[in-house]
DNA sequence: TTATAGTTTAACCATTTGGTCAAAATTATT
DNA sequence: AATAATTTTGACCAAATGGTTAAACTATAA
């Protein structure tokens, strides 16, 4: 629990977030959430009518935790290289703090794509901002300024950036074992270094000259 | 079903693979596997004693499908750049053919890291080959030949390569929607192009001169 | 043909699980 | 203080689920 004094509804949502992001929708038991929140199982249904409703609330909450910071960077008018740097830095930070969140989002999206992707797309519509399109503009400008190769494809670049940030955290249980002898601290350090590594890696591969 | 005539045990394993990789351990119902295999639920327990045993068989089968091809490339004595090219090409191919497999592996590994990673590590031990270490040697040689920058870190490079191959397939339900208007063919094409894109992207970022 | 071993099925069982409900406890209102 | 509204609990329920078992079916060999 982040805060000590919280109303029941908040305590439930927080506990639910822990369990849902860790075990996914189908792996989560309402009883476990209740235990973690230190309350009776019936209370879950009192505040959130059903498991699905509670799941929806959690999913939204996780999105809200992730989107604002990252969108702020992406929608800023920083030049491309700085934007990449800021994004990578902030993104690796935030998913390191919530390591099970991205895998949770991806897995549940895979399970029920249309039902869940709707939430995301609506969020984009509401703020009238699509990160992919916005990124394409940035790349175009950088090309016109002669900073990046003409051959650079903005969509590939965007996907590359996301991949390089998310995958090493999502696949940590695997990677930490096959490449770091399961040394937690070593992997933490590795992730910290990745901020610079990924940034220079990305920029090196697109920079002209 | 790939083959028409299969013994019951094979039919079960194939159906189980479909359902498990799609929905994960906790989201899978034994009944659904039985239905998909066209047999009685009791038969599942006749051939594989329990759900966990069946899950274990599936997990191993998925590993076996992935490992050999990729390990063959990684353990070959091709020079670094060609090795990267061959690996990326083959890997994107195979995970495009089994799109839910990598997410399945990662998710289940996240759920029960020690229990499951053991299988993997044992597989490596058996063949006396660790892809990460082997890759480190290749990079070292390429450095000595003056082909790549001194600053290149082999572990980052390896993780980058895996990330760039796996994530775009694993997160397809999300990416296809936010960047490709949910156009399946467009995303297929995007993935196909990624083979070249990722290869040049990786090599550009490490090549000297 | 008949005995035998292996395969498949239907009926059942025990437990788990999401969910309900009425009563108790607590808090707010008059 | 008395009453009403809200919150919390424990007991309970129906459906789902992994698993068992005995019987039926099939193929094989003597």
């Amino acid at each position: 629990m982040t805060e000590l004094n919280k109303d029941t509804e908040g305590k439930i949502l927080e506990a639910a977030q822990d369990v849902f992001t860790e075990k996914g929708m189908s792996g989560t038991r309402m009883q476990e959430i209740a235990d973690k929140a230190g309350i009776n199982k019936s209370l879950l249904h009192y505040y959130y009518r059903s498991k699905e409703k509670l799941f929806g609330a959690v999913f939204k909450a996780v999105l809200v935790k992730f989107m604002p910071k990252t969108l702020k960077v992406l929608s800023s008018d920083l030049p491309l290289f700085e934007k990449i740097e800021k994004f990578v830095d902030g993104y690796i930070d935030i998913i390191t703090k919530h390591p099970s969140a991205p895998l949770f989002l991806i897995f549940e999206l895979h399970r029920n794509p249309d039902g869940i992707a709707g939430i995301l797309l609506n969020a984009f519509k509401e703020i009238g901002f699509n990160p992919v399109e916005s990124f394409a503009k940035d790349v175009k400008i950088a090309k016109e300024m002669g900073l990046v190769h003409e051959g650079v494809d903005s969509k590939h670049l965007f996907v590359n950036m996301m991949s390089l940030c998310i995958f090493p955290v999502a696949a940590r249980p695997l990677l930490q074992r096959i490449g770091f002898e399961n040394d937690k601290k070593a992997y933490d350090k590795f992730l910290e270094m990745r901020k610079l590594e990924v940034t220079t890696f990305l920029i090196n591969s697109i920079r002209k000259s």
Side-chain angles (χ1 to χ4, degrees), chain A:
Chain A
M1 321 260 165
T2 317
E3 297 184 37
L4 220 64
N5 278 350
K6 267 201 173 161
D7 56 337
T8 309
E9 202 171 335
K11 276 197 306 184
I12 291 177
L13 192 66
E14 197 163 320
Q17 219 172 101
D18 284 357
V19 184
F20 270 123
T21 55
E22 190 63 33
K23 313 198 169 179
M25 168 68 167
S26 58
T28 292
R29 300 292 103 102
M30 295 293 268
Q31 187 60 57
E32 191 178 348
I33 295 175
D35 292 346
K36 200 158 224 172
I39 49 122
N40 189 286
K41 184 164 67 92
S42 305
L43 259 193
L44 299 184
H45 293 91
Y46 178 76
Y47 284 102
Y48 306 83
R49 296 176 83 81
S50 67
K51 188 184 180 184
E52 279 199 41
K53 291 260 172 56
L54 179 53
F55 173 83
V58 166
F59 195 89
K60 236 181 201 166
V62 173
L63 272 189
V64 167
K65 252 185 200 161
F66 270 77
M67 303 288 280
K69 275 194 183 176
T70 57
L71 283 188
K72 200 174 284 175
V73 176
L74 283 180
S75 65
S76 75
D77 54 0
L78 288 169
L80 184 64
F81 288 177
E82 272 129 278
K83 190 176 276 193
I84 290 176
E85 190 191 328
K86 278 255 164 56
F87 177 85
V88 169
D89 225 72
Y91 209 65
I92 290 185
D93 249 354
I94 199 173
I95 59 183
T96 307
K97 253 177 226 149
H98 306 277
S100 47
L103 190 53
F104 164 73
L105 292 177
I106 294 172
F107 186 79
E108 296 304 332
L109 214 59
H110 175 86
R111 208 178 44 89
N112 177 17
D114 294 312
I116 288 180
I119 302 173
L120 243 182
L121 293 181
N122 273 339
F124 287 158
K125 249 185 195 164
E126 274 177 34
I127 56 176
F129 172 73
N130 183 315
V132 180
E133 288 170 18
S134 151
F135 206 68
K137 278 181 202 158
D138 297 330
V139 170
K140 198 180 162 206
I141 293 173
K143 276 183 191 171
E144 286 165 0
M145 294 176 68
L147 294 172
V148 308
H149 290 120
E150 282 301 321
V152 170
D153 180 305
S154 72
K155 280 185 185 172
H156 281 291
L157 182 60
F158 182 79
V159 169
N160 290 347
M161 191 171 67
M162 301 291 289
S163 305
L164 294 171
C165 290
I166 296 178
F167 185 81
V169 177
R172 176 174 187 160
L174 175 63
L175 296 173
Q176 185 175 294
R177 277 169 182 80
I178 69 172
F180 297 81
E181 288 155 336
N182 207 12
D183 181 339
K184 181 176 153 29
K185 281 193 179 174
Y187 203 82
D188 278 336
K189 201 177 158 196
F190 176 73
L191 283 179
E192 186 59 33
M193 291 203 304
R194 270 191 82 74
K195 289 180 187 172
L196 179 60
E197 171 71 23
V198 168
T199 304
T200 61
F201 184 77
L202 284 167
I203 292 178
N204 273 355
S205 73
I206 60 172
R207 171 190 279 135
K208 200 181 236 173
S209 91

